[in-house]
């Protein structure tokens, strides 16, 4: 999820309207029903919560939050 609220599934664009069906299609081919959710650092939190809610309704049993470490000199 980027700061503008654009959503990507495996580098393919999705929208809040199509996310549930897009995720359902992806999850039906996985054993563990897990997704990895990553958002840009300055992304509004509401997008993150909305996507997590949709993922649960799509059948995701595990939502792994992915973060990047800050580069420190």
């Amino acid at each position: 999820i980027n700061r503008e609220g654009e959503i990507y599934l495996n580098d393919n664009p999705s929208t809040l309207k199509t996310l549930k069906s897009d995720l359902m299609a992806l999850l039906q081919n996985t054993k563990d029903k897990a997704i990895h959710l990553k958002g840009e650092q300055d992304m509004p939190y509401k997008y993150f919560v909305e996507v997590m809610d949709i993922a649960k309704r799509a059948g995701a049993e595990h939502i792994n939050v992915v973060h990047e470490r800050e580069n420190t000199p």
Side-chain angles (χ1 to χ4, degrees):
I1 309 166
N2 67 19
R3 67 182 63 91
E4 288 83 27
E6 296 171 329
I7 302 164
Y8 294 89
L9 298 173
N10 298 331
D11 296 323
N12 299 310
S14 186
T15 66
L16 288 174
K17 290 184 180 187
T18 63
L19 183 59
K20 184 178 176 186
S21 60
D22 293 343
L23 278 172
M24 288 174 75
L26 286 174
L27 289 170
Q28 75 183 147
N29 298 319
T30 64
K31 250 184 174 177
D32 60 359
K33 307 293 184 221
I35 66 161
H36 300 278
L37 182 57
K38 178 181 170 187
E40 289 185 351
Q41 184 174 353
D42 53 353
M43 167 204 66
Y45 186 68
K46 68 178 183 175
Y47 297 137
F48 197 79
V49 173
E50 237 176 322
V51 169
M52 283 188 358
D53 183 51
I54 292 170
K56 288 300 248 182
R57 288 187 277 133
E61 295 174 7
H62 305 282
I63 299 174
N64 303 304
V65 177
V66 179
H67 64 89
E68 294 180 11
R69 291 182 186 207
E70 287 187 35
N71 291 332
T72 54

